[in-house]
Amino acid sequence: MKKKMVSAVLCAAMLTTILAGCGGGEAAPAATEPAAEAPAAEEAPAAEEAPAAEEPAAEAEAPAASEGGRVIGYTCMDGTNPFFVALEGAIREVVESHGDTLVSMDPANDSNTQIDQIEDLISRDIDLIFVNPVDADGIIPALDMLKDADIPMFGFDTQVGDMSYLVSYAGSDNYNAGYVCGKDLAEKCPDGGDILVLDSPTMQSVTDRTNGFLAALEESGVTFNIAGQQDAQGNQQLGNEKATDLLTASPDVVAIFGGNDPTALGAYAAADAAGVTPMIYGVDGSPDVKALLKDTIMEGTGAQSPISIGKTIAETAYQWLDGETVEEFIPIETFLITADNVDEFGTDGWQ
């Protein structure tokens, strides 16, 4: 068991994430667009028309570039989460390299707001959209509106309730991201014990991670008992509140699993305040969590790469627009980062 970090270090490590993390700071503007104007129509590359006989039906419907470049929509569950900040930046880089404009929306983890914002994007005549749902099933009405408007949809990070709406999806192997955490815990705690789980049932990615974590514990043969399981909504502040309540009732737990790194950081602060030392696991591989792995009770993070996810789905969208056949599902590798290998990935940025 690692030593608990002193409060002064905790405050320093947590301040940035609390301000910028999932639901922990000011909501991002409803829509953001780059200040520079999109290139003139003559500067946009001309799309080559594929032969009719060779072009799949779905590809034939790809929209042509509009005057001044395409307008591309983007929506994610929480634009203030550092993971999505990095991911949006990767998509934006690809979009702007094609002379197009990315219009980003932040529903701040509210499903109804996300639907309203998607309706607004439709009114802006977007040419396609990158979609990450607040609620996998709750977003379906918005997907219906996009489908009626003939706007192609490309998903990332979290699956929607009906994947047939999407042209393509790129996301982490979330089940494995949780699984590697559970496997590590079982190896380090062979006597088992009580644990806490902070999940988020409306977020398919977090549900997959939680399922993977619990499956690894069950397969290990080590006996673990879930002393408490609460919906933290992927939010650091709520994760802190839920963990504080659960630790009051069960202070002797051996571990806490958070469905993402912001949740794990909230649990970390709660454990520090309570003076207890459970091993804490998260999922993301965020710089803030990586910085805590060597000398604190933060034990591990099932790492993913928001930069790889964003770049992959954006490049896939442009391949499709160019008439190429694309994969419907593109998995992105996940792996465990602990004190033993964190130096390989660094703590000053995302992997």
Side-chain angles (χ1 to χ4, degrees), residues 16-17 19-23 26-29 32 74 76-93 102 104-106 132 156 284 287 306-307 310 350:
T16 300
T17 305
L19 292 176
C22 190
E26 293 181 1
T32 56
Y74 170 97
C76 72
M77 62 180 69
D78 184 355
T80 66
N81 185 324
F83 175 86
F84 288 114
V85 172
L87 196 155
E88 192 265 5
I91 290 179
R92 182 176 295 277
E93 183 176 347
L102 186 70
S104 296
M105 294 290 187
D106 176 17
N132 168 267
F156 63 91
D284 278 336
I307 296 172
W350 292 89

Side-chain angles (χ1 to χ4, degrees), residues 31-34 38 63-66 68-75 88 91-105 120-122 124-131 146 151-154 156 310 313-315 317-318 320-321:
T32 56
E33 301 182 47
S66 57
R70 299 181 178 92
V71 178
I72 311 296
Y74 170 97
T75 178
E88 192 265 5
I91 290 179
R92 182 176 295 277
E93 183 176 347
V94 174
V95 168
E96 293 182 350
S97 73
H98 286 80
D100 296 334
T101 300
L102 186 70
V103 182
S104 296
M105 294 290 187
D120 179 48
L121 286 171
I122 294 171
R124 297 177 184 226
D125 294 324
I126 57 173
D127 294 290
L128 63 83
I129 187 170
F130 297 107
V131 177
L146 288 163
I151 296 172
M153 296 163 258
F154 291 80
F156 63 91
I313 195 59
E315 290 179 344
Y318 279 99
W320 182 80
L321 287 167

Side-chain angles (χ1 to χ4, degrees), residues 77-78 106-117 134-135:
M77 62 180 69
D78 184 355
D106 176 17
N109 270 319
D110 185 279
S111 184
N112 291 328
T113 298
Q114 186 168 51
I115 292 173
D116 291 341
Q117 290 178 342
V134 172
D135 186 310

Side-chain angles (χ1 to χ4, degrees), residues 203-270:
M203 299 178 185
Q204 189 60 48
S205 59
V206 175
T207 297
D208 291 343
R209 297 165 189 173
T210 303
N211 289 341
F213 175 75
L214 297 177
L217 296 184
E218 184 176 355
E219 290 175 14
S220 72
V222 180
T223 301
F224 289 95
N225 173 58
I226 301 177
Q229 185 167 356
Q230 292 288 325
D231 179 4
Q233 299 179 20
N235 181 285
Q236 183 168 331
Q237 181 177 345
L238 193 57
N240 178 268
E241 295 171 0
K242 297 290 187 179
T244 296
D245 292 341
L246 291 172
L247 286 170
T248 299
S250 304
D252 297 325
V253 295
V254 298
I256 302 174
F257 175 73
N260 64 2
D261 276 357
T263 301
L265 285 168
Y268 175 68

Side-chain angles (χ1 to χ4, degrees), residues 281-349:
Y281 291 86
V283 172
D284 278 336
S286 67
D288 285 338
V289 164
K290 288 188 292 184
L292 296 173
L293 290 174
K294 282 194 172 182
D295 299 308
T296 79
I297 57 174
M298 190 67 72
E299 193 68 30
T301 177
Q304 52 183 341
S305 172
I307 296 172
S308 294
I309 295 172
K311 183 178 179 180
T312 297
I313 195 59
E315 290 179 344
T316 298
Y318 279 99
Q319 290 167 3
W320 182 80
L321 287 167
D322 287 340
E324 297 181 28
T325 300
V326 298
E327 296 293 330
E328 293 181 0
F329 187 91
I330 307 171
I332 307 296
E333 179 188 11
T334 56
F335 49 92
L336 183 69
I337 298 180
T338 67
D340 294 334
N341 64 353
V342 68
D343 288 339
E344 299 176 26
F345 304 99
T347 60
D348 57 351

